[in-house]
Amino acid sequence: MTSMKILGALLLSWVTTGAMAHAHLQKAVPADGAVVTASPANVVLSFSEPAHLTAFWIQKDDGVKQKIGPLAPEPARQITIPLPQLAPGTYVVSWRVLGDDSHIVPGQIRFTVAAGTAAEKH
Ligand SMILES: [Cu+2]
């Protein structure tokens, strides 16, 4: 009986710790590796739990990493970051989020804005 109680307590603590896991990226729009036909207005990041975006950068091809801001001060599971107008090319956006468990989790996605569509944009 005692060993069952210990096992139960161990299981319970494992489950509780699992619930405190850090904020994992579940979805990004545009998706990693996406090719889009027009400059996306936003990047939308969805996390496994509320996350506070502390930094966000965009880098075109081999260009300079450009910091984007200001960022939303509230932690959220879904974060929308407005982008500037993007010329055709390949971009890497990277970020850092702070989860509820105070762990900082960096992430990045790469996407391509296809050439030949920028002129049609209004
Ligand atoms: Cu964590």
Side-chain angles (χ1 to χ4, degrees):
M1 251 346 191
T2 312
S3 62
M4 283 300 287
K5 275 188 189 163
I6 291 169
L7 184 63
L10 279 174
L11 265 176
L12 188 65
S13 72
W14 179 75
V15 168
T16 314
T17 313
M20 290 286 288
H22 49 236
H24 289 284
L25 182 71
Q26 290 187 321
K27 191 183 174 197
V29 179
D32 189 30
V35 177
V36 295
T37 54
S39 174
N42 310 294
V43 168
V44 183
L45 303 175
S46 302
F47 294 94
S48 56
E49 55 190 82
H52 177 208
L53 190 64
T54 59
F56 192 91
W57 299 272
I58 188 164
Q59 181 181 18
K60 182 182 188 234
D61 301 318
D62 295 323
V64 181
K65 219 172 166 183
Q66 184 190 339
K67 200 159 194 169
I68 294 204
L71 304 169
E74 299 290 313
R77 285 193 60 176
Q78 185 171 298
I79 302 174
T80 301
I81 305 99
L83 293 179
Q85 178 76 33
L86 302 178
T90 297
Y91 292 84
V92 173
V93 295
S94 50
W95 62 84
R96 279 204 298 259
V97 292
L98 183 62
D100 271 354
D101 65 357
S102 79
H103 290 168
I104 291 174
V105 184
Q108 72 168 45
I109 56 167
R110 174 187 297 263
F111 63 88
T112 300
V113 179
T117 52
E120 297 164 14
K121 193 130 170 78
H122 270 283

